[in-house]
Amino acid sequence: MSKVHNFSAGPCILPKEVFEKSAESILNFNDSGLSLIEISHRSKDFIEVMEEARKLVREILNVPDNYEVLFLQGGASLGFLTAAYNLMGKKKTGGYLITGSWAKKAAKEASFMGNSFNVASSEDKNFNYIPKGYNLGDNIDYFHVTSNNTIFGTQIKKFYNGNIPLACDMSSDIFSREINIKDFDLIYAGAQKNMGPAGTTLYICKKDILGNSSVPIPTMLDLKVHADKDSMFNTPPVFAIYSSMLNLRWLKNIGGLSYIENQNNLKSKLIYDHIDNNSLFEGTANIEDRSSMNVTFSLLEQDLNETFEKMLKDASINGLKGHRSVGGFRASIYNAMPIESVSILVDIMRELENKKG
Ligand SMILES: *Cc1c(COP(=O)(O)O)cnc(C)c1O
């Protein structure tokens, strides 16, 4: 099989060794003669996987002891609702930074048991920037942000660190850069953007938010229930957790967040510098808010699209089409994307310019 360069926004590229070992586990897990997906989640072998996965999250992200690490289900889309249920206080209002479609969806869920208040929004410019200098007011119980806007290619570089509890949907840039966990009260992330296969959702939450909601919480959405049962209240998605664990092992072995952040900066700089220098392309996101995970750009002359798309196809570049709400192109360059693949993409963009000139 020839190499395909997978720039897909999610589910995402993972290291080859993670795919190989995950595949092996389906047929014969840990030389047990049994498949990972047929053993009890309460068996010693699987409990070890769950414990290692949680330990790796703690080590890699430097999670303090007063935080829980949970592997649950439902995707980030259920995280929107879970966050609101668990953080609702006496004001019955969550404040939302509206930086894209996912942020809007998150805000909508707060209305099931309270209100949402839009602290600021960048919808006026089709979400091509991160609002700054907003005022949170004093009528919200928590402040919710989306660290990286997967569709629009913007990323928060500096997080709020005031007194209001901070919740963050970190689905598309968790484990891509160093963050200070203490800035957050609740982080959640669907696995399939930068951590593993779809099917599990990581939650990292401060222990003192648990059991303090002002609204009754349905059992499966109550983070305290899951924390008390070490993420085993019900059957966990064993395969997704196992693959995520392998990927976290890989990340730790290559040097953790400081190493990967540097790599991600090199990769994104390579492509952004090229976009800024190539007369045929323009970036769609505000320069200072550009994402290091999802690079959005478009061709200035629409009639070149077909030629460019053909060149991408010939070079086995997959998943570069932009989201329909932005158009153009989106290069998702998650942790496992090698810099060599980014170079190949840049070479093609250069070749198009040379052809044209
Ligand atoms: C993909 C994505 C989601 C949705 O994740 P699901 O796991 O499919 O529910 C939410 N937020 C962000 C930032 C995303 O990139």
Side-chain angles (χ1 to χ4, degrees):
M1 218 168 65
S2 67
K3 170 87 183 125
V4 175
H5 308 280
N6 186 12
F7 287 88
S8 172
C12 72
I13 181 173
L14 291 170
K16 189 157 172 266
E17 64 193 76
V18 171
F19 287 135
E20 284 168 354
K21 216 161 179 316
S22 300
E24 211 177 276
S25 78
I26 295 288
L27 296 174
N28 182 7
F29 177 53
N30 280 357
D31 265 329
S32 62
L34 293 167
S35 168
L36 167 70
I37 58 175
E38 69 179 338
I39 61 167
S40 165
H41 57 289
R42 311 225 178 257
S43 65
K44 181 173 158 290
D45 275 0
F46 185 72
I47 287 175
E48 274 173 21
V49 170
M50 180 68 101
E51 283 178 358
E52 184 174 348
R54 292 167 63 199
K55 186 160 158 268
L56 283 164
V57 172
R58 287 192 178 277
E59 280 175 26
I60 295 170
L61 288 173
N62 205 2
V63 179
D65 288 343
N66 62 327
Y67 283 75
E68 292 283 353
V69 171
L70 307 169
F71 280 92
L72 307 180
Q73 301 184 59
S77 297
L78 194 63
F80 302 155
L81 185 61
T82 306
Y85 263 117
N86 286 269
L87 291 169
M88 248 343 143
K90 293 204 175 63
K91 293 163 184 158
K92 294 264 181 356
T93 306
Y96 286 79
L97 189 63
I98 308 295
T99 53
S101 327
W102 297 120
K104 272 173 90 168
K105 287 183 175 164
K108 179 175 171 241
E109 298 303 296
S111 68
F112 286 95
M113 81 305 291
N115 300 306
S116 68
F117 168 69
N118 289 358
V119 169
S121 167
S122 51
E123 193 162 15
D124 57 337
K125 293 191 175 158
N126 200 27
F127 301 115
N128 74 356
Y129 69 104
I130 301 285
K132 293 167 201 90
Y134 41 77
N135 189 340
L136 292 183
D138 40 30
N139 286 318
I140 59 174
D141 295 311
Y142 62 92
F143 180 37
H144 181 283
V145 299
T146 312
S147 54
N148 182 69
N149 298 283
T150 326
I151 295 174
F152 300 93
T154 61
Q155 187 174 33
I156 296 178
K157 308 292 173 181
K158 196 175 175 301
F159 289 98
Y160 165 82
N161 68 350
N163 294 328
I164 295 172
L166 182 62
C168 183
D169 171 4
M170 217 175 267
S171 295
S172 55
D173 69 350
I174 193 158
F175 299 115
S176 72
R177 56 174 171 168
E178 296 195 85
I179 49 161
N180 187 359
I181 296 290
K182 289 188 194 129
D183 287 345
F184 304 90
D185 292 69
L186 171 64
I187 292 170
Y188 60 96
Q192 72 278 11
K193 303 290 167 47
N194 204 30
M195 184 172 78
T200 189
T201 314
L202 176 66
Y203 287 79
I204 301 171
C205 67
K206 224 182 205 167
K207 286 182 180 165
D208 64 16
I209 69 159
L210 301 173
N212 279 326
S213 176
S214 67
V215 295
I217 311 178
T219 311
M220 276 295 283
L221 302 183
D222 189 345
L223 292 174
K224 187 170 189 316
V225 168
H226 294 291
D228 288 346
K229 297 281 184 195
D230 291 332
S231 305
M232 296 264 205
F233 172 73
N234 69 323
T235 316
V238 294
F239 182 74
I241 294 170
Y242 180 66
S243 291
S244 299
M245 184 277 279
L246 294 175
N247 190 39
L248 294 173
R249 257 192 208 164
W250 168 84
L251 178 56
K252 186 186 164 190
N253 288 340
I254 61 168
L257 294 186
S258 62
Y259 173 81
I260 208 74
E261 177 167 5
N262 189 38
Q263 286 301 106
N264 289 333
N265 287 340
L266 290 173
K267 286 185 288 183
S268 56
K269 185 171 175 354
L270 181 63
I271 175 159
Y272 282 125
D273 281 354
H274 185 76
I275 290 169
D276 292 341
N277 286 308
N278 187 317
S279 60
L280 303 181
F281 292 94
E282 70 176 350
T284 53
N286 188 18
I287 290 181
E288 66 177 17
D289 303 319
R290 281 173 165 177
S291 165
S292 61
M293 294 276 97
N294 310 96
V295 177
T296 50
F297 57 101
S298 56
L299 271 165
L300 291 165
E301 295 171 43
Q302 293 308 310
D303 50 354
L304 287 175
N305 271 318
E306 210 174 303
T307 316
F308 185 52
E309 278 167 24
K310 167 102 184 24
M311 289 165 78
L312 294 172
K313 194 156 179 273
D314 291 345
S316 296
I317 287 182
N318 173 65
L320 208 76
K321 198 170 167 46
H323 190 273
R324 60 193 175 280
S325 53
V326 188
F329 303 92
R330 168 174 53 172
S332 297
I333 49 175
Y334 298 115
N335 286 354
M337 167 67 64
I339 196 157
E340 293 75 21
S341 294
V342 180
S343 294
I344 288 169
L345 171 61
V346 165
D347 287 345
I348 290 170
M349 293 164 76
R350 187 177 294 118
E351 202 184 309
L352 183 70
E353 191 185 33
N354 291 342
K355 252 191 201 169
K356 183 81 196 342

